[in-house]
Amino acid sequence: MFGTQSKRDIALELQAQIPILRPSIHARRANITVKFQDLYGFTVEGNVDDVNVLNEVREKVRQQGRVWWALEASKGANWYLQPSVSEGIALKSSLKLSTLANAITLKKLISKGIPPVLRPKVWFSLSGAAKKKSTVPDSYYNDLTKAVEGKVTPATRQIDHDLPRTFPGHPWLDTPEGHAALRRVLVGYSFRDSDVGYCQGLNYVAALLLLVMKTEEDAFWMLAVLLENVLVSDCYTTNLSGCHVEQRVFKDLLTKKCPRIAAHLEALDFDVSLVATEWFLCLFSKSLPSETTLRVWDVLFYEGAKVLFHVALAIFKMKEGELLITHHVGDVINILQKTTHYLFDPDDLLTVAYDKIGSMTTNTISKQRKKQEPAVMAELDQRLRRLNSLKADDK
């Protein structure tokens, strides 16, 4: 991350300080658009109201940081690693009340955000990445990157094509050093799992992981646990079958949770996958401001992929009034894109995602996936046959 160790130290120090953004007096008077960098180096555009929102958010982050540090002081540095209470699993009589209390405390804390300085350590532990890494030799990642160096595959060619298009203009990612680190992570994983190989969208996910995690190797393991354990299988395979299933599940959930919006969009002949496919493939990293995206990821790495449905539904719900008076598909897309671009306050988004959308269990979503899988596979099979038929006609 950010090149040399000294640059990394500077970045972490900046995260710890969480600077207050101060627009110039001219910007305040004219209320014009201002540009500034967020905690992770991305250029953000907004008006003075947006700057004020970001400052309020950063003050909340400071307060949360004090809570986390106080818990580390009283309970120990790794208190959150005690066995947690998994959804849908009955409590054993031997489970200590202190463990249950810690699990409840941790869930509440994560919903309010993990402090940036603690985020790499907490993510790596709670996501299962540390456990996954411990099952292989310490030299696994270095050995892998050396073994695949210089090898050319369709995946490596696509990765090389996508590197300069991944967050262009970022002060570290869009440099030879940043491109090289991102390439090693993506190419390494493409050889680890040949079924996935590489899929567009993973470049944005891996890039943001590189900015958050302390080391390139840790970013690789976070990507591995994300694709192998956290997300639904086959989301990033060649035919994107898992992603198609997620889109069908999301459409059903939109109908159940936001029936008026779903009915209006259907009348407009608007397919929600036009916007939601990118949300799910990039895990919102290309749509939401980085600090908001990472708050979503805080929950993702602890509670699993159901948070993606909560957040996607919340984005529609937040703009229900505006969406219901649209007359064109283009208007719907513009509203949703503008909404995600300026969602600087993660609490606004997550409050709607959970309080207004209501409960959705992992088990319920899993049943919906199983229900949709046959139709998706039949559709993909039909598409493949059509493609093969066209190729045969061309010969």
Side-chain angles (χ1 to χ4, degrees):
M1 171 185 164
F2 294 99
T4 64
Q5 188 63 34
S6 60
K7 288 182 180 178
R8 181 191 303 285
D9 292 340
I10 292 171
L12 290 175
E13 185 179 341
L14 285 173
Q15 287 182 13
Q17 292 175 352
I18 312 178
I20 293 290
L21 304 171
R22 301 187 188 282
S24 70
I25 185 66
H26 303 291
R28 291 199 297 273
R29 285 175 178 168
N31 197 30
I32 61 174
T33 298
V34 292
K35 290 185 178 182
F36 45 88
Q37 279 194 346
D38 67 13
L39 290 179
Y40 292 92
F42 293 97
T43 299
V44 178
E45 290 187 8
N47 58 30
V48 177
D49 288 338
D50 296 322
V51 173
N52 290 335
V53 169
L54 272 172
N55 282 330
E56 289 172 7
V57 169
R58 292 181 179 190
E59 179 55 34
K60 291 178 186 176
V61 171
R62 286 190 195 87
Q63 294 171 5
Q64 274 296 100
R66 287 192 284 270
V67 173
W68 278 83
W69 290 120
L71 283 168
E72 293 227 337
S74 63
K75 293 176 178 285
N78 297 314
W79 65 272
Y80 47 82
L81 295 184
Q82 294 183 32
S84 61
V85 183
S86 299
E87 180 182 315
I89 298 176
L91 296 179
K92 295 180 180 179
S93 58
S94 59
L95 186 63
K96 294 181 179 179
L97 286 176
S98 60
T99 302
L100 177 58
N102 279 350
I104 294 171
T105 299
L106 183 59
K107 186 172 182 176
K108 288 181 179 178
L109 280 175
I110 287 176
S111 70
K112 294 180 180 179
I114 302 170
V117 175
L118 287 176
R119 190 168 269 143
K121 182 179 78 165
V122 176
W123 276 11
F124 203 67
S125 301
L126 294 180
S127 67
K131 184 177 180 180
K132 187 175 286 288
K133 181 182 177 183
S134 71
T135 62
V136 297
D138 290 343
S139 60
Y140 177 92
Y141 179 69
N142 287 333
D143 292 344
L144 177 62
T145 54
K146 288 176 183 176
V148 304
E149 192 173 354
K151 291 188 177 182
V152 178
T153 65
T156 64
R157 285 193 287 268
Q158 187 62 54
I159 289 168
D160 289 333
H161 181 69
D162 287 346
L163 287 175
R165 303 191 301 176
T166 308
F167 298 127
H170 187 276
W172 181 73
L173 287 171
D174 195 15
T175 65
E177 188 178 1
H179 288 172
L182 181 56
R183 188 182 193 278
R184 283 190 293 272
V185 170
L186 291 171
V187 170
Y189 193 81
S190 76
F191 280 90
R192 173 181 168 87
D193 187 343
S194 57
D195 288 336
V196 171
Y198 169 73
C199 173
Q200 288 177 305
L202 290 179
N203 50 324
Y204 294 100
V205 174
L208 200 49
L209 287 172
L210 273 171
L211 294 179
V212 174
M213 304 308 294
K214 290 183 177 179
T215 69
E216 181 184 310
E217 184 176 4
D218 284 355
F220 170 84
W221 286 111
M222 287 301 299
L223 184 64
V225 81
L226 189 61
L227 299 182
E228 296 164 18
N229 301 94
V230 178
L231 300 177
V232 67
S233 60
D234 299 330
C235 257
Y236 297 94
T237 50
T238 306
N239 64 4
L240 297 176
S241 60
C243 183
H244 289 299
V245 169
E246 298 293 77
Q247 292 307 303
R248 281 175 172 262
V249 172
F250 176 62
K251 288 175 188 177
D252 276 358
L253 289 172
L254 186 67
T255 300
K256 291 174 183 175
K257 299 288 185 177
C258 308
R260 294 176 66 207
I261 296 175
H264 182 72
L265 296 181
E266 187 176 354
L268 292 179
D269 200 23
F270 177 78
D271 186 348
V272 294
S273 65
L274 286 173
V275 291
T277 297
E278 182 181 275
W279 293 351
F280 280 75
L281 281 177
C282 299
L283 307 181
F284 298 100
S285 61
K286 199 179 171 186
S287 308
L288 295 173
S290 67
E291 293 174 50
T292 303
T293 301
L294 296 179
R295 281 286 301 278
V296 173
W297 288 15
D298 286 344
V299 183
L300 173 68
F301 287 124
Y302 185 59
E303 295 189 23
K306 68 177 183 178
V307 69
L308 302 178
F309 294 99
H310 276 279
V311 170
L313 290 168
I315 293 169
F316 279 89
K317 187 68 176 176
M318 291 174 83
K319 291 298 173 179
E320 181 170 13
E322 291 182 39
L323 290 171
L324 290 177
I325 59 173
T326 54
H327 299 287
H328 305 285
V329 168
D331 295 334
V332 176
I333 294 173
N334 288 337
I335 289 170
L336 295 172
Q337 287 181 340
K338 185 177 179 181
T339 300
T340 53
H341 184 77
Y342 292 103
L343 263 174
F344 293 116
D345 191 340
D347 288 326
D348 284 351
L349 176 62
L350 292 173
T351 297
V352 175
Y354 284 93
D355 292 353
K356 293 190 178 180
I357 297 302
S359 176
M360 290 188 290
T361 66
T362 299
N363 189 43
T364 300
I365 292 173
S366 295
K367 287 179 179 178
Q368 284 291 317
R369 286 172 178 147
K370 288 180 181 178
K371 177 184 172 183
Q372 298 294 346
E373 279 172 6
V376 167
M377 298 313 295
E379 185 179 300
L380 292 173
D381 184 56
Q382 187 178 20
R383 190 181 302 172
L384 183 61
R385 279 192 223 164
R386 234 182 0 249
L387 184 61
N388 289 336
S389 177
L390 289 171
K391 286 181 179 178
D393 291 342
D394 290 339
K395 289 182 180 178

